[in-house]
Amino acid sequence: MSIGGSRGGADLFCDVCTQDPTYGWGLHASAGLRLAPSLLLGVETVGWFDVFGEADRTVRSTTVLLRSYAFGRTRPFLQGGAGVARYRVSDGNAGFRTQSPALTVGIGHDWRIGSATVTPHLDAIVSVGGELQSARTDNAIDPNARLALIRTGFALSWFR
């Protein structure tokens, strides 16, 4: 199990999108099980928020992850997975949203401190296409909107 915070930038790519990447804070939690000494399978939920600018932007993602400690007894890891990502933006007058399949890839390192583990990480969540819709009318605006979120952060993890 782990819980943590992060800072990252998100961008929405589509034919009608004109915004630059925005930066915000996030929270994440995960739980899983050990398949082998160097292989973990788990589920991670990520929430990212940029709510201090002219528009509120949020990203939510739920992903099934596979984490590999491929370097033996040291604790760096590689992880990847697939799931669903949701992006929403609202400026009070208009709002847009998209939901689509997403891929996640990341690296990190576990440092044991007492009974817990501190885990700094860097990862990316990239959607593989989705329909951008008006939040008010559900009308399609763009049939191929893609989201990218790159974040870095820390987690407290507990292993058994």
Side-chain angles (χ1 to χ4, degrees):
M1 290 181 32
S2 70
I3 187 166
S6 61
R7 174 91 171 137
D11 203 354
L12 184 65
F13 302 94
C14 69
D15 291 338
V16 297
C17 299
T18 59
Q19 74 178 31
D20 292 326
T22 58
Y23 300 90
W25 296 96
L27 299 171
H28 58 276
S30 62
L33 56 97
R34 189 176 306 276
L35 299 177
S38 63
L39 191 63
L40 302 176
L41 175 67
V43 175
E44 179 179 57
T45 297
V46 172
W48 173 91
F49 314 96
D50 174 25
V51 294
F52 298 110
E54 294 176 11
D56 294 345
R57 294 172 178 88
T58 60
V59 174
R60 285 187 247 159
S61 173
T62 302
T63 306
V64 175
L65 290 175
L66 197 58
R67 180 182 288 186
S68 173
Y69 294 90
F71 305 107
R73 298 183 68 100
T74 62
R75 301 318 298 169
F77 61 83
L78 302 171
Q79 68 182 21
V84 175
R86 295 165 207 82
Y87 180 82
R88 186 182 130 306
V89 61
S90 174
D91 69 359
N93 297 319
F96 306 98
R97 67 174 179 250
T98 183
Q99 176 175 314
S100 61
L103 301 174
T104 300
V105 63
I107 59 172
H109 195 287
D110 291 336
W111 275 302
R112 191 92 159 149
I113 300 175
S115 63
T117 301
V118 175
T119 306
H121 62 86
L122 171 68
D123 58 50
I125 300 169
V126 180
S127 71
V128 292
E131 186 174 75
L132 184 64
Q133 297 176 313
S134 167
R136 288 190 181 182
T137 65
D138 288 334
N139 290 342
I141 296 168
D142 191 313
N144 193 26
R146 295 169 318 282
L147 165 71
L149 171 64
I150 298 175
R151 64 191 184 103
T152 185
F154 286 91
L156 287 176
S157 304
W158 294 269
F159 295 93
R160 286 189 162 231

